[in-house]
Structures are given as structure tokens and as C-alpha cells.
Amino acid sequence: MSEPGRTVHVGVPLIRAAEPRDVPRIAATLTVALAESRWVRWALPVDGRTQRLTRLAELDAGHRGVTTGTTWVSEDVDAVASWDAPSGAATPVPADVRAALEREVPRLHADRADAVARTEAALAAALPDGPHWRLRALGTRPRSRRRGLGGAVLGPALARCDAEGVPAALVAPAWAIVRFARGLGFEVTQATRSADGQLPLWVAVRPPGVPMPEL
């Protein structure tokens, strides 16, 4: 049995590291929050899209994020933020989780897998050269929006970036996300498109030490 995740107080919302018991709800929250996002509609085929998104969220933000300590949630798991940490800053991905990701993720993307892989390869050159935290997924259930949970659930990782002197980065498929990220100190460093030219993308970076807004 794993130890309970440490609870972090960020303003009013209660934020904590995700635990194994949270994995199903992490997947459900991200499915509800991201089902109509541009990235999901571009990266996952129409056939079984909801089920594909749920399994992808379960594997990546869920199992990978929980085992590496890089996913944070609100107390009720109505908000989720999952990150890629720089080498040495988090527990390595367990072999079984890595194998499941390598085996299942291409299948989940199906005929979009090549475009997704080529886009990720191209984005690597646009992200910060040195160690940085990259936001992989952020979602809040519609019923819990406009309560400051999105910014709050990002707080623990951004605080680590500040403490360790490393930037945070994200890739946004919509300008609304860029506007939200700017409020947290991110700035656009590159505007680009997916490898197939279908999806606009903005790379945004937050240098360490940017003051966090009061929630």
C-alpha cells in the first residue's frame, strides 16, 4: 500500500499529489474536460475517440504521473495537472508502465500516430534546451471551473521550478490556453503547426521566479 500523497495548500483550493486510488477519476476528469479540445480531435480518430482518450489519460496522467510523482489533483480530483519532469527530478517511469505506454499509445492514436510522433519530434527543438518541466495535461471538470482550480493545480510543479531554477513549458493548441498561461507567467516563444499542418500550436515558457498570482 502506498503512502498518502502530501497535501499542498495553494490559496483556497486543496491540492495534493495524485495517488493510485485516483487513477480512474483522473482519467474520467480529463476525458470530460478535454473531449472537445482541438488536440484530442486532431490526435485521436473519431472511431472510439472517448474510449481512446480515457485510456490515454489513464496510462499517461494516471499510471505514469502517479508512479513518477508528476501528477497533481484537487482534493476531489475535479482538476488534474500532469507533467514531464527533467531527468533526475522525479521517480523514473516503472518498466511495466513504460512498456504499456510504448505498446498502447500508438494503437490509441491509430492512423494519427505518425502525425503525432512527427509533431512531437519537431516540438522537441522548440522547447527549452536544458532541464525543464513540461505540462502534459491540464483539465478541470466543467462544474468546477472558474474557481481557480486550474491555476492552483499547476502550483506545486511551478513552485518546484522556482525552487530548482528551471523553466516550465507547455504546448497549447488554442489561444485561450495561451491567455490562461500568460496569467501564470508563461510567454509564447514560438508559434508553429503540427507536422501535417492541420493544428496550430503555441510553445510557451515560464522562466523560474515569476510571481504566482493570488488565488
Side-chain angles (χ1 to χ4, degrees), residues 18 23 26 30 56-72 81-85 90-94 96-98 100-101 105 133-137:
V23 170
I26 288 170
L30 290 178
L56 187 61
E58 180 183 41
L59 284 170
D60 195 66
H63 293 299
R64 183 199 59 80
V66 167
T67 56
T68 59
T70 55
T71 291
W72 284 269
S82 187
W83 299 77
D84 258 341
T91 303
V93 181
D96 60 335
V97 175
R98 184 180 297 279
L101 286 164
V105 169
W133 286 68
R134 179 184 172 182
L135 183 63
R136 294 183 65 90

PDB file of all heavy atoms in Angstrom, residues 18 23 26 30 56-72 81-85 90-94 96-98 100-101 105 133-137:
ATOM      1  N   ALA A  18      -1.160  13.128  -6.777  1.00  0.00           N
ATOM      2  CA  ALA A  18      -2.103  12.060  -7.106  1.00  0.00           C
ATOM      3  C   ALA A  18      -1.624  10.733  -6.534  1.00  0.00           C
ATOM      4  O   ALA A  18      -0.424  10.465  -6.438  1.00  0.00           O
ATOM      5  CB  ALA A  18      -2.279  11.951  -8.610  1.00  0.00           C
ATOM      6  N   VAL A  23      -6.448   7.128  -9.986  1.00  0.00           N
ATOM      7  CA  VAL A  23      -6.265   6.912 -11.423  1.00  0.00           C
ATOM      8  C   VAL A  23      -7.587   6.883 -12.204  1.00  0.00           C
ATOM      9  O   VAL A  23      -7.718   7.568 -13.227  1.00  0.00           O
ATOM     10  CB  VAL A  23      -5.419   5.652 -11.691  1.00  0.00           C
ATOM     11  CG1 VAL A  23      -5.445   5.290 -13.186  1.00  0.00           C
ATOM     12  CG2 VAL A  23      -3.981   5.874 -11.239  1.00  0.00           C
ATOM     13  N   ILE A  26      -8.902  10.429 -12.355  1.00  0.00           N
ATOM     14  CA  ILE A  26      -8.044  11.255 -13.216  1.00  0.00           C
ATOM     15  C   ILE A  26      -8.454  11.064 -14.673  1.00  0.00           C
ATOM     16  O   ILE A  26      -8.631  12.028 -15.430  1.00  0.00           O
ATOM     17  CB  ILE A  26      -6.562  10.901 -13.010  1.00  0.00           C
ATOM     18  CG1 ILE A  26      -6.066  11.418 -11.654  1.00  0.00           C
ATOM     19  CG2 ILE A  26      -5.698  11.453 -14.147  1.00  0.00           C
ATOM     20  CD1 ILE A  26      -4.691  10.898 -11.282  1.00  0.00           C
ATOM     21  N   LEU A  30     -10.156  14.054 -17.024  1.00  0.00           N
ATOM     22  CA  LEU A  30      -9.519  14.524 -18.253  1.00  0.00           C
ATOM     23  C   LEU A  30     -10.374  14.208 -19.480  1.00  0.00           C
ATOM     24  O   LEU A  30     -10.391  14.974 -20.444  1.00  0.00           O
ATOM     25  CB  LEU A  30      -8.121  13.923 -18.387  1.00  0.00           C
ATOM     26  CG  LEU A  30      -7.094  14.461 -17.385  1.00  0.00           C
ATOM     27  CD1 LEU A  30      -5.753  13.754 -17.565  1.00  0.00           C
ATOM     28  CD2 LEU A  30      -6.913  15.979 -17.535  1.00  0.00           C
ATOM     29  N   LEU A  56      -5.869   6.764 -22.745  1.00  0.00           N
ATOM     30  CA  LEU A  56      -4.642   7.552 -22.825  1.00  0.00           C
ATOM     31  C   LEU A  56      -4.427   8.326 -21.532  1.00  0.00           C
ATOM     32  O   LEU A  56      -3.306   8.363 -20.993  1.00  0.00           O
ATOM     33  CB  LEU A  56      -4.733   8.513 -24.011  1.00  0.00           C
ATOM     34  CG  LEU A  56      -3.482   9.312 -24.362  1.00  0.00           C
ATOM     35  CD1 LEU A  56      -2.334   8.389 -24.743  1.00  0.00           C
ATOM     36  CD2 LEU A  56      -3.784  10.278 -25.507  1.00  0.00           C
ATOM     37  N   ALA A  57      -5.488   8.943 -21.002  1.00  0.00           N
ATOM     38  CA  ALA A  57      -5.370   9.684 -19.743  1.00  0.00           C
ATOM     39  C   ALA A  57      -5.046   8.750 -18.584  1.00  0.00           C
ATOM     40  O   ALA A  57      -4.263   9.094 -17.691  1.00  0.00           O
ATOM     41  CB  ALA A  57      -6.677  10.433 -19.472  1.00  0.00           C
ATOM     42  N   GLU A  58      -5.650   7.567 -18.593  1.00  0.00           N
ATOM     43  CA  GLU A  58      -5.381   6.587 -17.535  1.00  0.00           C
ATOM     44  C   GLU A  58      -3.912   6.176 -17.534  1.00  0.00           C
ATOM     45  O   GLU A  58      -3.266   6.118 -16.474  1.00  0.00           O
ATOM     46  CB  GLU A  58      -6.275   5.365 -17.748  1.00  0.00           C
ATOM     47  CG  GLU A  58      -6.082   4.268 -16.706  1.00  0.00           C
ATOM     48  CD  GLU A  58      -6.944   3.064 -17.009  1.00  0.00           C
ATOM     49  OE1 GLU A  58      -7.055   2.685 -18.199  1.00  0.00           O
ATOM     50  OE2 GLU A  58      -7.505   2.492 -16.060  1.00  0.00           O
ATOM     51  N   LEU A  59      -3.374   5.924 -18.716  1.00  0.00           N
ATOM     52  CA  LEU A  59      -1.986   5.490 -18.822  1.00  0.00           C
ATOM     53  C   LEU A  59      -0.994   6.606 -18.493  1.00  0.00           C
ATOM     54  O   LEU A  59      -0.056   6.412 -17.715  1.00  0.00           O
ATOM     55  CB  LEU A  59      -1.696   4.980 -20.234  1.00  0.00           C
ATOM     56  CG  LEU A  59      -2.228   3.603 -20.609  1.00  0.00           C
ATOM     57  CD1 LEU A  59      -2.064   3.377 -22.112  1.00  0.00           C
ATOM     58  CD2 LEU A  59      -1.503   2.517 -19.819  1.00  0.00           C
ATOM     59  N   ASP A  60      -1.206   7.785 -19.087  1.00  0.00           N
ATOM     60  CA  ASP A  60      -0.195   8.835 -19.007  1.00  0.00           C
ATOM     61  C   ASP A  60      -0.329   9.678 -17.740  1.00  0.00           C
ATOM     62  O   ASP A  60       0.532   9.642 -16.870  1.00  0.00           O
ATOM     63  CB  ASP A  60      -0.259   9.711 -20.253  1.00  0.00           C
ATOM     64  CG  ASP A  60       0.982  10.571 -20.389  1.00  0.00           C
ATOM     65  OD1 ASP A  60       2.058   9.999 -20.606  1.00  0.00           O
ATOM     66  OD2 ASP A  60       0.877  11.802 -20.262  1.00  0.00           O
ATOM     67  N   ALA A  61      -1.405  10.445 -17.626  1.00  0.00           N
ATOM     68  CA  ALA A  61      -1.581  11.263 -16.425  1.00  0.00           C
ATOM     69  C   ALA A  61      -1.823  10.389 -15.205  1.00  0.00           C
ATOM     70  O   ALA A  61      -1.424  10.742 -14.093  1.00  0.00           O
ATOM     71  CB  ALA A  61      -2.759  12.221 -16.623  1.00  0.00           C
ATOM     72  N   GLY A  62      -2.471   9.232 -15.423  1.00  0.00           N
ATOM     73  CA  GLY A  62      -2.758   8.329 -14.321  1.00  0.00           C
ATOM     74  C   GLY A  62      -1.556   7.510 -13.886  1.00  0.00           C
ATOM     75  O   GLY A  62      -0.813   7.896 -12.988  1.00  0.00           O
ATOM     76  N   HIS A  63      -1.330   6.390 -14.535  1.00  0.00           N
ATOM     77  CA  HIS A  63      -0.274   5.469 -14.079  1.00  0.00           C
ATOM     78  C   HIS A  63       1.117   6.090 -14.155  1.00  0.00           C
ATOM     79  O   HIS A  63       1.906   5.984 -13.204  1.00  0.00           O
ATOM     80  CB  HIS A  63      -0.340   4.178 -14.887  1.00  0.00           C
ATOM     81  CG  HIS A  63      -1.582   3.386 -14.632  1.00  0.00           C
ATOM     82  ND1 HIS A  63      -1.911   2.888 -13.394  1.00  0.00           N
ATOM     83  CD2 HIS A  63      -2.603   3.014 -15.467  1.00  0.00           C
ATOM     84  CE1 HIS A  63      -3.052   2.239 -13.452  1.00  0.00           C
ATOM     85  NE2 HIS A  63      -3.499   2.305 -14.709  1.00  0.00           N
ATOM     86  N   ARG A  64       1.439   6.746 -15.277  1.00  0.00           N
ATOM     87  CA  ARG A  64       2.772   7.349 -15.375  1.00  0.00           C
ATOM     88  C   ARG A  64       2.928   8.481 -14.362  1.00  0.00           C
ATOM     89  O   ARG A  64       3.919   8.556 -13.632  1.00  0.00           O
ATOM     90  CB  ARG A  64       3.017   7.886 -16.785  1.00  0.00           C
ATOM     91  CG  ARG A  64       4.425   8.467 -16.985  1.00  0.00           C
ATOM     92  CD  ARG A  64       4.485   9.389 -18.198  1.00  0.00           C
ATOM     93  NE  ARG A  64       3.554  10.503 -18.080  1.00  0.00           N
ATOM     94  CZ  ARG A  64       3.800  11.604 -17.364  1.00  0.00           C
ATOM     95  NH1 ARG A  64       4.933  11.746 -16.698  1.00  0.00           N
ATOM     96  NH2 ARG A  64       2.895  12.565 -17.290  1.00  0.00           N
ATOM     97  N   GLY A  65       1.941   9.377 -14.317  1.00  0.00           N
ATOM     98  CA  GLY A  65       2.050  10.527 -13.438  1.00  0.00           C
ATOM     99  C   GLY A  65       2.055  10.170 -11.966  1.00  0.00           C
ATOM    100  O   GLY A  65       2.780  10.781 -11.170  1.00  0.00           O
ATOM    101  N   VAL A  66       1.262   9.165 -11.589  1.00  0.00           N
ATOM    102  CA  VAL A  66       1.213   8.753 -10.183  1.00  0.00           C
ATOM    103  C   VAL A  66       2.515   8.082  -9.769  1.00  0.00           C
ATOM    104  O   VAL A  66       3.088   8.387  -8.718  1.00  0.00           O
ATOM    105  CB  VAL A  66       0.000   7.825  -9.936  1.00  0.00           C
ATOM    106  CG1 VAL A  66       0.111   7.143  -8.580  1.00  0.00           C
ATOM    107  CG2 VAL A  66      -1.296   8.618 -10.019  1.00  0.00           C
ATOM    108  N   THR A  67       3.007   7.169 -10.590  1.00  0.00           N
ATOM    109  CA  THR A  67       4.213   6.432 -10.206  1.00  0.00           C
ATOM    110  C   THR A  67       5.469   7.299 -10.221  1.00  0.00           C
ATOM    111  O   THR A  67       6.424   7.025  -9.502  1.00  0.00           O
ATOM    112  CB  THR A  67       4.426   5.211 -11.121  1.00  0.00           C
ATOM    113  OG1 THR A  67       4.465   5.642 -12.490  1.00  0.00           O
ATOM    114  CG2 THR A  67       3.320   4.196 -10.949  1.00  0.00           C
ATOM    115  N   THR A  68       5.469   8.355 -11.018  1.00  0.00           N
ATOM    116  CA  THR A  68       6.634   9.240 -11.056  1.00  0.00           C
ATOM    117  C   THR A  68       6.469  10.453 -10.147  1.00  0.00           C
ATOM    118  O   THR A  68       7.413  11.228  -9.963  1.00  0.00           O
ATOM    119  CB  THR A  68       6.893   9.745 -12.496  1.00  0.00           C
ATOM    120  OG1 THR A  68       5.737  10.447 -12.969  1.00  0.00           O
ATOM    121  CG2 THR A  68       7.213   8.583 -13.432  1.00  0.00           C
ATOM    122  N   GLY A  69       5.281  10.647  -9.594  1.00  0.00           N
ATOM    123  CA  GLY A  69       5.042  11.793  -8.727  1.00  0.00           C
ATOM    124  C   GLY A  69       4.937  13.107  -9.472  1.00  0.00           C
ATOM    125  O   GLY A  69       5.279  14.163  -8.940  1.00  0.00           O
ATOM    126  N   THR A  70       4.419  13.064 -10.700  1.00  0.00           N
ATOM    127  CA  THR A  70       4.357  14.272 -11.529  1.00  0.00           C
ATOM    128  C   THR A  70       2.930  14.656 -11.918  1.00  0.00           C
ATOM    129  O   THR A  70       2.726  15.461 -12.827  1.00  0.00           O
ATOM    130  CB  THR A  70       5.206  14.099 -12.797  1.00  0.00           C
ATOM    131  OG1 THR A  70       4.775  12.922 -13.500  1.00  0.00           O
ATOM    132  CG2 THR A  70       6.686  13.970 -12.455  1.00  0.00           C
ATOM    133  N   THR A  71       1.942  14.074 -11.264  1.00  0.00           N
ATOM    134  CA  THR A  71       0.552  14.476 -11.449  1.00  0.00           C
ATOM    135  C   THR A  71       0.009  14.976 -10.121  1.00  0.00           C
ATOM    136  O   THR A  71       0.192  14.329  -9.090  1.00  0.00           O
ATOM    137  CB  THR A  71      -0.306  13.308 -11.970  1.00  0.00           C
ATOM    138  OG1 THR A  71       0.070  12.993 -13.315  1.00  0.00           O
ATOM    139  CG2 THR A  71      -1.787  13.666 -11.971  1.00  0.00           C
ATOM    140  N   TRP A  72      -0.654  16.140 -10.187  1.00  0.00           N
ATOM    141  CA  TRP A  72      -1.312  16.702  -9.004  1.00  0.00           C
ATOM    142  C   TRP A  72      -2.789  16.861  -9.275  1.00  0.00           C
ATOM    143  O   TRP A  72      -3.199  17.063 -10.429  1.00  0.00           O
ATOM    144  CB  TRP A  72      -0.703  18.055  -8.648  1.00  0.00           C
ATOM    145  CG  TRP A  72       0.634  17.960  -7.969  1.00  0.00           C
ATOM    146  CD1 TRP A  72       0.877  17.896  -6.625  1.00  0.00           C
ATOM    147  CD2 TRP A  72       1.922  17.907  -8.606  1.00  0.00           C
ATOM    148  NE1 TRP A  72       2.236  17.811  -6.393  1.00  0.00           N
ATOM    149  CE2 TRP A  72       2.903  17.818  -7.580  1.00  0.00           C
ATOM    150  CE3 TRP A  72       2.347  17.938  -9.947  1.00  0.00           C
ATOM    151  CZ2 TRP A  72       4.261  17.765  -7.849  1.00  0.00           C
ATOM    152  CZ3 TRP A  72       3.699  17.869 -10.221  1.00  0.00           C
ATOM    153  CH2 TRP A  72       4.644  17.784  -9.178  1.00  0.00           C
ATOM    154  N   ALA A  81      -3.436  18.130 -13.157  1.00  0.00           N
ATOM    155  CA  ALA A  81      -2.306  18.640 -13.930  1.00  0.00           C
ATOM    156  C   ALA A  81      -1.222  17.572 -13.924  1.00  0.00           C
ATOM    157  O   ALA A  81      -0.837  17.072 -12.855  1.00  0.00           O
ATOM    158  CB  ALA A  81      -1.760  19.933 -13.336  1.00  0.00           C
ATOM    159  N   SER A  82      -0.747  17.201 -15.094  1.00  0.00           N
ATOM    160  CA  SER A  82       0.271  16.167 -15.220  1.00  0.00           C
ATOM    161  C   SER A  82       1.443  16.698 -16.031  1.00  0.00           C
ATOM    162  O   SER A  82       1.244  17.379 -17.045  1.00  0.00           O
ATOM    163  CB  SER A  82      -0.322  14.920 -15.902  1.00  0.00           C
ATOM    164  OG  SER A  82       0.596  13.846 -15.889  1.00  0.00           O
ATOM    165  N   TRP A  83       2.650  16.396 -15.581  1.00  0.00           N
ATOM    166  CA  TRP A  83       3.868  16.966 -16.153  1.00  0.00           C
ATOM    167  C   TRP A  83       4.874  15.901 -16.531  1.00  0.00           C
ATOM    168  O   TRP A  83       4.853  14.786 -16.012  1.00  0.00           O
ATOM    169  CB  TRP A  83       4.540  17.887 -15.126  1.00  0.00           C
ATOM    170  CG  TRP A  83       3.753  19.052 -14.661  1.00  0.00           C
ATOM    171  CD1 TRP A  83       2.721  19.041 -13.754  1.00  0.00           C
ATOM    172  CD2 TRP A  83       3.927  20.414 -15.051  1.00  0.00           C
ATOM    173  NE1 TRP A  83       2.246  20.313 -13.559  1.00  0.00           N
ATOM    174  CE2 TRP A  83       2.965  21.177 -14.341  1.00  0.00           C
ATOM    175  CE3 TRP A  83       4.804  21.070 -15.913  1.00  0.00           C
ATOM    176  CZ2 TRP A  83       2.867  22.558 -14.474  1.00  0.00           C
ATOM    177  CZ3 TRP A  83       4.705  22.450 -16.052  1.00  0.00           C
ATOM    178  CH2 TRP A  83       3.744  23.181 -15.342  1.00  0.00           C
ATOM    179  N   ASP A  84       5.808  16.271 -17.413  1.00  0.00           N
ATOM    180  CA  ASP A  84       7.067  15.567 -17.622  1.00  0.00           C
ATOM    181  C   ASP A  84       8.125  16.315 -16.841  1.00  0.00           C
ATOM    182  O   ASP A  84       8.282  17.529 -17.029  1.00  0.00           O
ATOM    183  CB  ASP A  84       7.464  15.572 -19.107  1.00  0.00           C
ATOM    184  CG  ASP A  84       7.163  14.255 -19.786  1.00  0.00           C
ATOM    185  OD1 ASP A  84       6.992  13.249 -19.082  1.00  0.00           O
ATOM    186  OD2 ASP A  84       7.102  14.245 -21.024  1.00  0.00           O
ATOM    187  N   ALA A  85       8.834  15.619 -15.979  1.00  0.00           N
ATOM    188  CA  ALA A  85       9.883  16.260 -15.184  1.00  0.00           C
ATOM    189  C   ALA A  85      11.234  16.066 -15.848  1.00  0.00           C
ATOM    190  O   ALA A  85      11.449  15.100 -16.588  1.00  0.00           O
ATOM    191  CB  ALA A  85       9.913  15.668 -13.782  1.00  0.00           C
ATOM    192  N   ALA A  90      12.364  13.421 -10.789  1.00  0.00           N
ATOM    193  CA  ALA A  90      11.208  12.615 -10.408  1.00  0.00           C
ATOM    194  C   ALA A  90      11.594  11.147 -10.437  1.00  0.00           C
ATOM    195  O   ALA A  90      12.634  10.766 -10.997  1.00  0.00           O
ATOM    196  CB  ALA A  90      10.043  12.874 -11.354  1.00  0.00           C
ATOM    197  N   THR A  91      10.757  10.318  -9.839  1.00  0.00           N
ATOM    198  CA  THR A  91      10.963   8.876  -9.875  1.00  0.00           C
ATOM    199  C   THR A  91      10.881   8.387 -11.319  1.00  0.00           C
ATOM    200  O   THR A  91       9.978   8.795 -12.060  1.00  0.00           O
ATOM    201  CB  THR A  91       9.883   8.171  -9.037  1.00  0.00           C
ATOM    202  OG1 THR A  91       9.915   8.683  -7.705  1.00  0.00           O
ATOM    203  CG2 THR A  91      10.095   6.666  -9.015  1.00  0.00           C
ATOM    204  N   PRO A  92      11.823   7.544 -11.761  1.00  0.00           N
ATOM    205  CA  PRO A  92      11.752   7.041 -13.139  1.00  0.00           C
ATOM    206  C   PRO A  92      10.453   6.278 -13.399  1.00  0.00           C
ATOM    207  O   PRO A  92       9.857   5.707 -12.494  1.00  0.00           O
ATOM    208  CB  PRO A  92      12.970   6.108 -13.231  1.00  0.00           C
ATOM    209  CG  PRO A  92      13.884   6.565 -12.148  1.00  0.00           C
ATOM    210  CD  PRO A  92      13.010   7.058 -11.041  1.00  0.00           C
ATOM    211  N   VAL A  93      10.025   6.280 -14.645  1.00  0.00           N
ATOM    212  CA  VAL A  93       8.828   5.534 -15.022  1.00  0.00           C
ATOM    213  C   VAL A  93       9.090   4.041 -14.832  1.00  0.00           C
ATOM    214  O   VAL A  93      10.083   3.517 -15.364  1.00  0.00           O
ATOM    215  CB  VAL A  93       8.442   5.807 -16.491  1.00  0.00           C
ATOM    216  CG1 VAL A  93       7.176   5.033 -16.866  1.00  0.00           C
ATOM    217  CG2 VAL A  93       8.242   7.305 -16.718  1.00  0.00           C
ATOM    218  N   PRO A  94       8.260   3.342 -14.068  1.00  0.00           N
ATOM    219  CA  PRO A  94       8.466   1.897 -13.896  1.00  0.00           C
ATOM    220  C   PRO A  94       8.429   1.161 -15.231  1.00  0.00           C
ATOM    221  O   PRO A  94       7.760   1.589 -16.174  1.00  0.00           O
ATOM    222  CB  PRO A  94       7.291   1.484 -13.002  1.00  0.00           C
ATOM    223  CG  PRO A  94       6.867   2.736 -12.306  1.00  0.00           C
ATOM    224  CD  PRO A  94       7.120   3.843 -13.297  1.00  0.00           C
ATOM    225  N   ASP A  96       6.993  -1.567 -16.204  1.00  0.00           N
ATOM    226  CA  ASP A  96       5.703  -2.055 -16.695  1.00  0.00           C
ATOM    227  C   ASP A  96       4.849  -0.914 -17.254  1.00  0.00           C
ATOM    228  O   ASP A  96       4.143  -1.089 -18.257  1.00  0.00           O
ATOM    229  CB  ASP A  96       4.957  -2.814 -15.605  1.00  0.00           C
ATOM    230  CG  ASP A  96       4.670  -1.970 -14.364  1.00  0.00           C
ATOM    231  OD1 ASP A  96       5.408  -0.990 -14.113  1.00  0.00           O
ATOM    232  OD2 ASP A  96       3.714  -2.305 -13.634  1.00  0.00           O
ATOM    233  N   VAL A  97       4.931   0.257 -16.623  1.00  0.00           N
ATOM    234  CA  VAL A  97       4.179   1.408 -17.123  1.00  0.00           C
ATOM    235  C   VAL A  97       4.768   1.880 -18.454  1.00  0.00           C
ATOM    236  O   VAL A  97       4.040   2.175 -19.403  1.00  0.00           O
ATOM    237  CB  VAL A  97       4.182   2.548 -16.094  1.00  0.00           C
ATOM    238  CG1 VAL A  97       3.500   3.786 -16.655  1.00  0.00           C
ATOM    239  CG2 VAL A  97       3.494   2.099 -14.808  1.00  0.00           C
ATOM    240  N   ARG A  98       6.093   1.916 -18.530  1.00  0.00           N
ATOM    241  CA  ARG A  98       6.744   2.309 -19.785  1.00  0.00           C
ATOM    242  C   ARG A  98       6.369   1.349 -20.920  1.00  0.00           C
ATOM    243  O   ARG A  98       6.074   1.784 -22.039  1.00  0.00           O
ATOM    244  CB  ARG A  98       8.266   2.342 -19.605  1.00  0.00           C
ATOM    245  CG  ARG A  98       9.011   2.834 -20.841  1.00  0.00           C
ATOM    246  CD  ARG A  98      10.517   2.834 -20.607  1.00  0.00           C
ATOM    247  NE  ARG A  98      10.879   3.743 -19.539  1.00  0.00           N
ATOM    248  CZ  ARG A  98      11.007   5.054 -19.669  1.00  0.00           C
ATOM    249  NH1 ARG A  98      10.782   5.617 -20.842  1.00  0.00           N
ATOM    250  NH2 ARG A  98      11.335   5.800 -18.638  1.00  0.00           N
ATOM    251  N   ALA A 100       3.672  -0.466 -21.165  1.00  0.00           N
ATOM    252  CA  ALA A 100       2.269  -0.267 -21.534  1.00  0.00           C
ATOM    253  C   ALA A 100       2.103   0.981 -22.398  1.00  0.00           C
ATOM    254  O   ALA A 100       1.350   0.976 -23.376  1.00  0.00           O
ATOM    255  CB  ALA A 100       1.412  -0.149 -20.273  1.00  0.00           C
ATOM    256  N   LEU A 101       2.816   2.042 -22.065  1.00  0.00           N
ATOM    257  CA  LEU A 101       2.754   3.266 -22.870  1.00  0.00           C
ATOM    258  C   LEU A 101       3.281   3.010 -24.283  1.00  0.00           C
ATOM    259  O   LEU A 101       2.655   3.409 -25.270  1.00  0.00           O
ATOM    260  CB  LEU A 101       3.563   4.373 -22.206  1.00  0.00           C
ATOM    261  CG  LEU A 101       2.949   5.012 -20.953  1.00  0.00           C
ATOM    262  CD1 LEU A 101       4.005   5.790 -20.193  1.00  0.00           C
ATOM    263  CD2 LEU A 101       1.790   5.917 -21.327  1.00  0.00           C
ATOM    264  N   VAL A 105       0.004   3.399 -26.665  1.00  0.00           N
ATOM    265  CA  VAL A 105      -0.207   4.761 -27.164  1.00  0.00           C
ATOM    266  C   VAL A 105      -0.295   4.812 -28.688  1.00  0.00           C
ATOM    267  O   VAL A 105      -1.212   5.444 -29.239  1.00  0.00           O
ATOM    268  CB  VAL A 105       0.863   5.724 -26.610  1.00  0.00           C
ATOM    269  CG1 VAL A 105       0.802   7.074 -27.333  1.00  0.00           C
ATOM    270  CG2 VAL A 105       0.640   5.937 -25.113  1.00  0.00           C
ATOM    271  N   TRP A 133      10.374  21.490 -16.841  1.00  0.00           N
ATOM    272  CA  TRP A 133       9.148  20.729 -16.646  1.00  0.00           C
ATOM    273  C   TRP A 133       8.209  21.059 -17.800  1.00  0.00           C
ATOM    274  O   TRP A 133       8.017  22.229 -18.134  1.00  0.00           O
ATOM    275  CB  TRP A 133       8.482  21.111 -15.327  1.00  0.00           C
ATOM    276  CG  TRP A 133       9.186  20.566 -14.115  1.00  0.00           C
ATOM    277  CD1 TRP A 133      10.418  20.935 -13.656  1.00  0.00           C
ATOM    278  CD2 TRP A 133       8.697  19.563 -13.221  1.00  0.00           C
ATOM    279  NE1 TRP A 133      10.729  20.221 -12.533  1.00  0.00           N
ATOM    280  CE2 TRP A 133       9.693  19.370 -12.235  1.00  0.00           C
ATOM    281  CE3 TRP A 133       7.520  18.825 -13.154  1.00  0.00           C
ATOM    282  CZ2 TRP A 133       9.533  18.461 -11.193  1.00  0.00           C
ATOM    283  CZ3 TRP A 133       7.362  17.914 -12.110  1.00  0.00           C
ATOM    284  CH2 TRP A 133       8.354  17.741 -11.148  1.00  0.00           C
ATOM    285  N   ARG A 134       7.629  20.022 -18.401  1.00  0.00           N
ATOM    286  CA  ARG A 134       6.675  20.240 -19.490  1.00  0.00           C
ATOM    287  C   ARG A 134       5.292  19.765 -19.083  1.00  0.00           C
ATOM    288  O   ARG A 134       5.107  18.619 -18.657  1.00  0.00           O
ATOM    289  CB  ARG A 134       7.105  19.502 -20.762  1.00  0.00           C
ATOM    290  CG  ARG A 134       6.077  19.703 -21.898  1.00  0.00           C
ATOM    291  CD  ARG A 134       6.418  18.925 -23.131  1.00  0.00           C
ATOM    292  NE  ARG A 134       5.312  19.012 -24.100  1.00  0.00           N
ATOM    293  CZ  ARG A 134       5.304  18.397 -25.273  1.00  0.00           C
ATOM    294  NH1 ARG A 134       6.337  17.647 -25.649  1.00  0.00           N
ATOM    295  NH2 ARG A 134       4.269  18.522 -26.081  1.00  0.00           N
ATOM    296  N   LEU A 135       4.324  20.640 -19.213  1.00  0.00           N
ATOM    297  CA  LEU A 135       2.946  20.282 -18.906  1.00  0.00           C
ATOM    298  C   LEU A 135       2.407  19.342 -19.978  1.00  0.00           C
ATOM    299  O   LEU A 135       2.414  19.666 -21.160  1.00  0.00           O
ATOM    300  CB  LEU A 135       2.088  21.546 -18.844  1.00  0.00           C
ATOM    301  CG  LEU A 135       0.614  21.352 -18.467  1.00  0.00           C
ATOM    302  CD1 LEU A 135       0.470  20.784 -17.060  1.00  0.00           C
ATOM    303  CD2 LEU A 135      -0.140  22.664 -18.601  1.00  0.00           C
ATOM    304  N   ARG A 136       1.929  18.191 -19.555  1.00  0.00           N
ATOM    305  CA  ARG A 136       1.394  17.207 -20.490  1.00  0.00           C
ATOM    306  C   ARG A 136      -0.124  17.257 -20.575  1.00  0.00           C
ATOM    307  O   ARG A 136      -0.698  17.045 -21.651  1.00  0.00           O
ATOM    308  CB  ARG A 136       1.826  15.796 -20.072  1.00  0.00           C
ATOM    309  CG  ARG A 136       3.313  15.555 -20.171  1.00  0.00           C
ATOM    310  CD  ARG A 136       3.646  14.113 -19.823  1.00  0.00           C
ATOM    311  NE  ARG A 136       3.100  13.169 -20.778  1.00  0.00           N
ATOM    312  CZ  ARG A 136       3.734  12.753 -21.869  1.00  0.00           C
ATOM    313  NH1 ARG A 136       4.938  13.222 -22.163  1.00  0.00           N
ATOM    314  NH2 ARG A 136       3.172  11.880 -22.687  1.00  0.00           N
ATOM    315  N   ALA A 137      -0.776  17.495 -19.453  1.00  0.00           N
ATOM    316  CA  ALA A 137      -2.240  17.522 -19.456  1.00  0.00           C
ATOM    317  C   ALA A 137      -2.731  18.409 -18.323  1.00  0.00           C
ATOM    318  O   ALA A 137      -2.189  18.383 -17.223  1.00  0.00           O
ATOM    319  CB  ALA A 137      -2.807  16.114 -19.296  1.00  0.00           C
TER     320      ALA A 137
END
